[in-house]
Amino acid sequence: MDPGNLSPQETKKLEEINIDLTMRSIAVTYMSMIGRCFDNCVNDMTSKSLTAKEEKCVKSCSEKFMKYQQRLEQRFNEESANLNGP
């Protein structure tokens, strides 16, 4: 299907689908980060608040996870550009 031949309604629908897929992907990534960092960092379940050590761990974990995701996206875009040619 050639995107240039789509009607305005079809183009709008395609954009809405793309936005929805992007939002779902962001949500899955975010939930994955929360689960991973919580499991790796939170050890003391006897308190309502995080210890200083847990807080530092969660911050470090989330920063690393986000850098990883950004790098992964960058590499994906690079490879996509290579596949699509010059």
Side-chain angles (χ1 to χ4, degrees):
M1 176 186 291
D2 181 13
N5 294 332
L6 297 176
S7 70
Q9 294 84 7
E10 291 171 324
T11 300
K12 185 174 192 261
K13 182 67 176 172
L14 193 59
E15 289 172 356
E16 289 171 357
I17 291 170
N18 190 29
I19 289 169
D20 184 54
L21 290 173
T22 300
M23 294 304 291
R24 288 175 190 239
S25 176
I26 290 169
V28 167
T29 299
Y30 183 72
M31 294 304 292
S32 176
M33 179 188 69
I34 290 171
R36 180 173 294 181
C37 292
F38 182 87
D39 290 344
N40 289 338
C41 298
V42 180
N43 303 310
D44 181 10
M45 302 301 276
T46 61
S47 173
K48 289 184 180 181
S49 57
L50 297 173
T51 66
K53 182 179 177 183
E54 289 171 334
E55 198 168 323
K56 182 178 177 183
C57 179
V58 168
K59 182 178 179 184
S60 175
C61 177
S62 59
E63 287 174 353
K64 285 181 182 180
F65 192 88
M66 293 307 293
K67 286 178 184 176
Y68 163 78
Q69 285 298 124
Q70 289 170 348
R71 180 65 179 137
L72 186 63
E73 183 179 340
Q74 179 184 15
R75 289 292 297 143
F76 178 79
N77 290 336
E78 290 169 0
E79 289 301 316
S80 292
N82 288 340
L83 290 174
N84 292 330

